[in-house]
PDB file of all heavy atoms in Angstrom:
ATOM      1  N   SER A   5     -12.478   7.256  19.174  1.00  0.00           N
ATOM      2  CA  SER A   5     -12.755   6.536  20.416  1.00  0.00           C
ATOM      3  C   SER A   5     -12.339   7.385  21.608  1.00  0.00           C
ATOM      4  O   SER A   5     -11.587   8.351  21.475  1.00  0.00           O
ATOM      5  CB  SER A   5     -12.007   5.202  20.449  1.00  0.00           C
ATOM      6  OG  SER A   5     -10.653   5.399  20.834  1.00  0.00           O
ATOM      7  N   TRP A   6     -12.811   6.996  22.797  1.00  0.00           N
ATOM      8  CA  TRP A   6     -12.474   7.703  24.027  1.00  0.00           C
ATOM      9  C   TRP A   6     -10.967   7.687  24.284  1.00  0.00           C
ATOM     10  O   TRP A   6     -10.424   8.585  24.915  1.00  0.00           O
ATOM     11  CB  TRP A   6     -13.198   7.060  25.207  1.00  0.00           C
ATOM     12  CG  TRP A   6     -12.851   5.617  25.403  1.00  0.00           C
ATOM     13  CD1 TRP A   6     -13.497   4.541  24.883  1.00  0.00           C
ATOM     14  CD2 TRP A   6     -11.760   5.083  26.150  1.00  0.00           C
ATOM     15  NE1 TRP A   6     -12.878   3.372  25.249  1.00  0.00           N
ATOM     16  CE2 TRP A   6     -11.816   3.671  26.038  1.00  0.00           C
ATOM     17  CE3 TRP A   6     -10.748   5.660  26.910  1.00  0.00           C
ATOM     18  CZ2 TRP A   6     -10.895   2.835  26.648  1.00  0.00           C
ATOM     19  CZ3 TRP A   6      -9.822   4.818  27.528  1.00  0.00           C
ATOM     20  CH2 TRP A   6      -9.910   3.418  27.391  1.00  0.00           C
ATOM     21  N   ALA A   7     -10.289   6.642  23.775  1.00  0.00           N
ATOM     22  CA  ALA A   7      -8.844   6.523  24.022  1.00  0.00           C
ATOM     23  C   ALA A   7      -8.028   7.368  23.055  1.00  0.00           C
ATOM     24  O   ALA A   7      -6.819   7.487  23.208  1.00  0.00           O
ATOM     25  CB  ALA A   7      -8.417   5.058  23.914  1.00  0.00           C
ATOM     26  N   GLY A   8      -8.692   7.957  22.050  1.00  0.00           N
ATOM     27  CA  GLY A   8      -7.984   8.800  21.098  1.00  0.00           C
ATOM     28  C   GLY A   8      -7.767   8.167  19.745  1.00  0.00           C
ATOM     29  O   GLY A   8      -7.234   8.812  18.832  1.00  0.00           O
ATOM     30  N   ALA A   9      -8.165   6.876  19.580  1.00  0.00           N
ATOM     31  CA  ALA A   9      -8.048   6.221  18.274  1.00  0.00           C
ATOM     32  C   ALA A   9      -8.944   6.947  17.277  1.00  0.00           C
ATOM     33  O   ALA A   9     -10.085   7.270  17.581  1.00  0.00           O
ATOM     34  CB  ALA A   9      -8.442   4.754  18.382  1.00  0.00           C
ATOM     35  N   SER A  10      -8.406   7.183  16.073  1.00  0.00           N
ATOM     36  CA  SER A  10      -9.112   8.066  15.139  1.00  0.00           C
ATOM     37  C   SER A  10      -9.090   7.529  13.716  1.00  0.00           C
ATOM     38  O   SER A  10      -8.164   6.824  13.306  1.00  0.00           O
ATOM     39  CB  SER A  10      -8.478   9.462  15.150  1.00  0.00           C
ATOM     40  OG  SER A  10      -8.477  10.019  16.450  1.00  0.00           O
ATOM     41  N   GLY A  11     -10.144   7.903  12.980  1.00  0.00           N
ATOM     42  CA  GLY A  11     -10.192   7.630  11.557  1.00  0.00           C
ATOM     43  C   GLY A  11     -10.708   6.254  11.205  1.00  0.00           C
ATOM     44  O   GLY A  11     -11.162   5.485  12.061  1.00  0.00           O
ATOM     45  N   LEU A  12     -10.640   5.939   9.918  1.00  0.00           N
ATOM     46  CA  LEU A  12     -11.182   4.683   9.413  1.00  0.00           C
ATOM     47  C   LEU A  12     -10.587   3.461  10.098  1.00  0.00           C
ATOM     48  O   LEU A  12     -11.292   2.509  10.418  1.00  0.00           O
ATOM     49  CB  LEU A  12     -10.932   4.588   7.902  1.00  0.00           C
ATOM     50  CG  LEU A  12     -11.841   5.420   7.000  1.00  0.00           C
ATOM     51  CD1 LEU A  12     -11.314   5.422   5.575  1.00  0.00           C
ATOM     52  CD2 LEU A  12     -13.276   4.893   7.033  1.00  0.00           C
ATOM     53  N   MET A  13      -9.276   3.474  10.334  1.00  0.00           N
ATOM     54  CA  MET A  13      -8.602   2.312  10.919  1.00  0.00           C
ATOM     55  C   MET A  13      -8.298   2.512  12.399  1.00  0.00           C
ATOM     56  O   MET A  13      -7.531   1.753  12.985  1.00  0.00           O
ATOM     57  CB  MET A  13      -7.322   2.009  10.146  1.00  0.00           C
ATOM     58  CG  MET A  13      -7.541   1.679   8.672  1.00  0.00           C
ATOM     59  SD  MET A  13      -8.566   0.218   8.385  1.00  0.00           S
ATOM     60  CE  MET A  13      -7.457  -1.087   8.907  1.00  0.00           C
ATOM     61  N   GLN A  14      -8.888   3.546  13.016  1.00  0.00           N
ATOM     62  CA  GLN A  14      -8.779   3.789  14.457  1.00  0.00           C
ATOM     63  C   GLN A  14      -7.318   3.749  14.931  1.00  0.00           C
ATOM     64  O   GLN A  14      -6.935   2.947  15.800  1.00  0.00           O
ATOM     65  CB  GLN A  14      -9.631   2.798  15.234  1.00  0.00           C
ATOM     66  CG  GLN A  14     -11.131   3.039  15.091  1.00  0.00           C
ATOM     67  CD  GLN A  14     -11.548   4.343  15.768  1.00  0.00           C
ATOM     68  OE1 GLN A  14     -11.767   4.377  16.968  1.00  0.00           O
ATOM     69  NE2 GLN A  14     -11.669   5.409  14.995  1.00  0.00           N
ATOM     70  N   ILE A  15      -6.533   4.649  14.389  1.00  0.00           N
ATOM     71  CA  ILE A  15      -5.104   4.727  14.720  1.00  0.00           C
ATOM     72  C   ILE A  15      -4.913   5.613  15.946  1.00  0.00           C
ATOM     73  O   ILE A  15      -5.436   6.726  16.006  1.00  0.00           O
ATOM     74  CB  ILE A  15      -4.304   5.262  13.522  1.00  0.00           C
ATOM     75  CG1 ILE A  15      -4.425   4.275  12.353  1.00  0.00           C
ATOM     76  CG2 ILE A  15      -2.844   5.472  13.889  1.00  0.00           C
ATOM     77  CD1 ILE A  15      -3.751   4.740  11.082  1.00  0.00           C
ATOM     78  N   MET A  16      -4.153   5.103  16.913  1.00  0.00           N
ATOM     79  CA  MET A  16      -3.864   5.865  18.123  1.00  0.00           C
ATOM     80  C   MET A  16      -2.844   6.965  17.830  1.00  0.00           C
ATOM     81  O   MET A  16      -1.982   6.805  16.954  1.00  0.00           O
ATOM     82  CB  MET A  16      -3.316   4.938  19.209  1.00  0.00           C
ATOM     83  CG  MET A  16      -4.328   3.939  19.734  1.00  0.00           C
ATOM     84  SD  MET A  16      -5.624   4.731  20.699  1.00  0.00           S
ATOM     85  CE  MET A  16      -4.691   5.212  22.165  1.00  0.00           C
ATOM     86  N   PRO A  17      -2.918   8.092  18.559  1.00  0.00           N
ATOM     87  CA  PRO A  17      -1.965   9.189  18.329  1.00  0.00           C
ATOM     88  C   PRO A  17      -0.503   8.754  18.410  1.00  0.00           C
ATOM     89  O   PRO A  17       0.322   9.166  17.594  1.00  0.00           O
ATOM     90  CB  PRO A  17      -2.315  10.185  19.436  1.00  0.00           C
ATOM     91  CG  PRO A  17      -3.757   9.933  19.726  1.00  0.00           C
ATOM     92  CD  PRO A  17      -3.948   8.456  19.543  1.00  0.00           C
ATOM     93  N   LYS A  18      -0.180   7.916  19.384  1.00  0.00           N
ATOM     94  CA  LYS A  18       1.204   7.450  19.534  1.00  0.00           C
ATOM     95  C   LYS A  18       1.634   6.625  18.330  1.00  0.00           C
ATOM     96  O   LYS A  18       2.761   6.751  17.840  1.00  0.00           O
ATOM     97  CB  LYS A  18       1.332   6.634  20.821  1.00  0.00           C
ATOM     98  CG  LYS A  18       2.748   6.204  21.157  1.00  0.00           C
ATOM     99  CD  LYS A  18       2.790   5.460  22.477  1.00  0.00           C
ATOM    100  CE  LYS A  18       4.211   5.015  22.822  1.00  0.00           C
ATOM    101  NZ  LYS A  18       4.248   4.275  24.112  1.00  0.00           N
ATOM    102  N   THR A  19       0.730   5.783  17.839  1.00  0.00           N
ATOM    103  CA  THR A  19       1.025   4.969  16.663  1.00  0.00           C
ATOM    104  C   THR A  19       1.157   5.845  15.427  1.00  0.00           C
ATOM    105  O   THR A  19       2.026   5.622  14.579  1.00  0.00           O
ATOM    106  CB  THR A  19      -0.078   3.913  16.453  1.00  0.00           C
ATOM    107  OG1 THR A  19      -0.246   3.153  17.654  1.00  0.00           O
ATOM    108  CG2 THR A  19       0.273   2.971  15.317  1.00  0.00           C
ATOM    109  N   ALA A  20       0.277   6.842  15.323  1.00  0.00           N
ATOM    110  CA  ALA A  20       0.340   7.766  14.187  1.00  0.00           C
ATOM    111  C   ALA A  20       1.697   8.470  14.142  1.00  0.00           C
ATOM    112  O   ALA A  20       2.312   8.598  13.069  1.00  0.00           O
ATOM    113  CB  ALA A  20      -0.790   8.791  14.289  1.00  0.00           C
ATOM    114  N   LYS A  21       2.174   8.907  15.283  1.00  0.00           N
ATOM    115  CA  LYS A  21       3.482   9.578  15.349  1.00  0.00           C
ATOM    116  C   LYS A  21       4.586   8.631  14.902  1.00  0.00           C
ATOM    117  O   LYS A  21       5.488   9.011  14.144  1.00  0.00           O
ATOM    118  CB  LYS A  21       3.735  10.072  16.773  1.00  0.00           C
ATOM    119  CG  LYS A  21       5.032  10.850  16.933  1.00  0.00           C
ATOM    120  CD  LYS A  21       5.198  11.351  18.357  1.00  0.00           C
ATOM    121  CE  LYS A  21       6.501  12.133  18.509  1.00  0.00           C
ATOM    122  NZ  LYS A  21       6.683  12.627  19.905  1.00  0.00           N
ATOM    123  N   HIS A  22       4.513   7.397  15.375  1.00  0.00           N
ATOM    124  CA  HIS A  22       5.502   6.388  14.997  1.00  0.00           C
ATOM    125  C   HIS A  22       5.500   6.143  13.491  1.00  0.00           C
ATOM    126  O   HIS A  22       6.556   5.943  12.876  1.00  0.00           O
ATOM    127  CB  HIS A  22       5.208   5.085  15.751  1.00  0.00           C
ATOM    128  CG  HIS A  22       5.872   3.879  15.176  1.00  0.00           C
ATOM    129  ND1 HIS A  22       7.228   3.656  15.275  1.00  0.00           N
ATOM    130  CD2 HIS A  22       5.358   2.816  14.477  1.00  0.00           C
ATOM    131  CE1 HIS A  22       7.537   2.520  14.665  1.00  0.00           C
ATOM    132  NE2 HIS A  22       6.427   1.993  14.174  1.00  0.00           N
ATOM    133  N   LEU A  23       4.316   6.187  12.882  1.00  0.00           N
ATOM    134  CA  LEU A  23       4.171   5.908  11.453  1.00  0.00           C
ATOM    135  C   LEU A  23       4.405   7.134  10.579  1.00  0.00           C
ATOM    136  O   LEU A  23       4.389   7.030   9.351  1.00  0.00           O
ATOM    137  CB  LEU A  23       2.781   5.337  11.170  1.00  0.00           C
ATOM    138  CG  LEU A  23       2.458   3.990  11.841  1.00  0.00           C
ATOM    139  CD1 LEU A  23       0.982   3.668  11.699  1.00  0.00           C
ATOM    140  CD2 LEU A  23       3.316   2.874  11.248  1.00  0.00           C
ATOM    141  N   GLY A  24       4.591   8.293  11.210  1.00  0.00           N
ATOM    142  CA  GLY A  24       4.796   9.518  10.445  1.00  0.00           C
ATOM    143  C   GLY A  24       3.523  10.142   9.935  1.00  0.00           C
ATOM    144  O   GLY A  24       3.552  10.953   9.000  1.00  0.00           O
ATOM    145  N   LEU A  25       2.391   9.772  10.536  1.00  0.00           N
ATOM    146  CA  LEU A  25       1.105  10.349  10.150  1.00  0.00           C
ATOM    147  C   LEU A  25       0.806  11.534  11.053  1.00  0.00           C
ATOM    148  O   LEU A  25       0.660  11.386  12.270  1.00  0.00           O
ATOM    149  CB  LEU A  25      -0.005   9.293  10.279  1.00  0.00           C
ATOM    150  CG  LEU A  25      -1.433   9.747   9.963  1.00  0.00           C
ATOM    151  CD1 LEU A  25      -1.563  10.195   8.525  1.00  0.00           C
ATOM    152  CD2 LEU A  25      -2.430   8.633  10.282  1.00  0.00           C
ATOM    153  N   GLU A  26       0.734  12.724  10.468  1.00  0.00           N
ATOM    154  CA  GLU A  26       0.462  13.925  11.239  1.00  0.00           C
ATOM    155  C   GLU A  26      -0.966  13.905  11.757  1.00  0.00           C
ATOM    156  O   GLU A  26      -1.878  13.395  11.097  1.00  0.00           O
ATOM    157  CB  GLU A  26       0.675  15.176  10.380  1.00  0.00           C
ATOM    158  CG  GLU A  26       2.085  15.327   9.834  1.00  0.00           C
ATOM    159  CD  GLU A  26       3.108  15.591  10.933  1.00  0.00           C
ATOM    160  OE1 GLU A  26       2.701  16.080  12.014  1.00  0.00           O
ATOM    161  OE2 GLU A  26       4.303  15.305  10.718  1.00  0.00           O
ATOM    162  N   MET A  27      -1.179  14.477  12.954  1.00  0.00           N
ATOM    163  CA  MET A  27      -2.502  14.462  13.558  1.00  0.00           C
ATOM    164  C   MET A  27      -3.534  15.209  12.712  1.00  0.00           C
ATOM    165  O   MET A  27      -4.706  14.844  12.692  1.00  0.00           O
ATOM    166  CB  MET A  27      -2.454  15.049  14.972  1.00  0.00           C
ATOM    167  CG  MET A  27      -1.768  14.158  15.984  1.00  0.00           C
ATOM    168  SD  MET A  27      -2.453  12.473  16.048  1.00  0.00           S
ATOM    169  CE  MET A  27      -4.121  12.792  16.614  1.00  0.00           C
ATOM    170  N   GLU A  28      -3.103  16.236  11.980  1.00  0.00           N
ATOM    171  CA  GLU A  28      -4.058  16.964  11.144  1.00  0.00           C
ATOM    172  C   GLU A  28      -4.495  16.133   9.934  1.00  0.00           C
ATOM    173  O   GLU A  28      -5.465  16.470   9.258  1.00  0.00           O
ATOM    174  CB  GLU A  28      -3.480  18.302  10.677  1.00  0.00           C
ATOM    175  CG  GLU A  28      -2.202  18.186   9.869  1.00  0.00           C
ATOM    176  CD  GLU A  28      -0.966  18.436  10.712  1.00  0.00           C
ATOM    177  OE1 GLU A  28      -1.011  18.150  11.923  1.00  0.00           O
ATOM    178  OE2 GLU A  28       0.028  18.934  10.150  1.00  0.00           O
ATOM    179  N   ASP A  29      -3.758  15.024   9.667  1.00  0.00           N
ATOM    180  CA  ASP A  29      -4.092  14.161   8.534  1.00  0.00           C
ATOM    181  C   ASP A  29      -4.748  12.854   8.959  1.00  0.00           C
ATOM    182  O   ASP A  29      -5.054  12.016   8.101  1.00  0.00           O
ATOM    183  CB  ASP A  29      -2.831  13.838   7.723  1.00  0.00           C
ATOM    184  CG  ASP A  29      -2.222  15.071   7.081  1.00  0.00           C
ATOM    185  OD1 ASP A  29      -2.992  15.963   6.675  1.00  0.00           O
ATOM    186  OD2 ASP A  29      -0.979  15.145   7.000  1.00  0.00           O
ATOM    187  N   ILE A  30      -4.947  12.665  10.252  1.00  0.00           N
ATOM    188  CA  ILE A  30      -5.369  11.346  10.730  1.00  0.00           C
ATOM    189  C   ILE A  30      -6.782  10.978  10.275  1.00  0.00           C
ATOM    190  O   ILE A  30      -7.136   9.804  10.189  1.00  0.00           O
ATOM    191  CB  ILE A  30      -5.242  11.265  12.269  1.00  0.00           C
ATOM    192  CG1 ILE A  30      -5.158   9.796  12.714  1.00  0.00           C
ATOM    193  CG2 ILE A  30      -6.406  11.994  12.966  1.00  0.00           C
ATOM    194  CD1 ILE A  30      -4.694   9.599  14.132  1.00  0.00           C
ATOM    195  N   PHE A  31      -7.608  11.976   9.943  1.00  0.00           N
ATOM    196  CA  PHE A  31      -8.959  11.693   9.464  1.00  0.00           C
ATOM    197  C   PHE A  31      -9.033  11.652   7.934  1.00  0.00           C
ATOM    198  O   PHE A  31     -10.106  11.473   7.380  1.00  0.00           O
ATOM    199  CB  PHE A  31      -9.947  12.729  10.012  1.00  0.00           C
ATOM    200  CG  PHE A  31     -10.137  12.638  11.504  1.00  0.00           C
ATOM    201  CD1 PHE A  31      -9.563  13.574  12.347  1.00  0.00           C
ATOM    202  CD2 PHE A  31     -10.868  11.602  12.065  1.00  0.00           C
ATOM    203  CE1 PHE A  31      -9.724  13.487  13.726  1.00  0.00           C
ATOM    204  CE2 PHE A  31     -11.036  11.506  13.441  1.00  0.00           C
ATOM    205  CZ  PHE A  31     -10.464  12.449  14.273  1.00  0.00           C
ATOM    206  N   ASN A  32      -7.896  11.816   7.281  1.00  0.00           N
ATOM    207  CA  ASN A  32      -7.851  11.683   5.829  1.00  0.00           C
ATOM    208  C   ASN A  32      -7.954  10.198   5.482  1.00  0.00           C
ATOM    209  O   ASN A  32      -7.094   9.402   5.878  1.00  0.00           O
ATOM    210  CB  ASN A  32      -6.540  12.259   5.295  1.00  0.00           C
ATOM    211  CG  ASN A  32      -6.404  12.132   3.796  1.00  0.00           C
ATOM    212  OD1 ASN A  32      -6.316  11.029   3.266  1.00  0.00           O
ATOM    213  ND2 ASN A  32      -6.366  13.261   3.115  1.00  0.00           N
TER     214      ASN A  32
END
């Protein structure tokens, strides 16, 4: 999305960091 939400569940970068999901893995 334009806001940066990514992948199947549209996780935001800030949320990904909080969850321990690396940005290089966000589309896995």
Side-chain angles (χ1 to χ4, degrees):
S5 81
W6 60 268
S10 303
L12 283 170
M13 299 299 289
Q14 289 292 277
I15 297 176
M16 292 291 290
K18 185 177 180 180
T19 306
K21 183 178 180 180
H22 163 72
L23 297 169
L25 178 62
E26 300 293 337
M27 289 306 296
E28 59 261 29
D29 296 325
I30 201 166
F31 293 105
N32 179 294

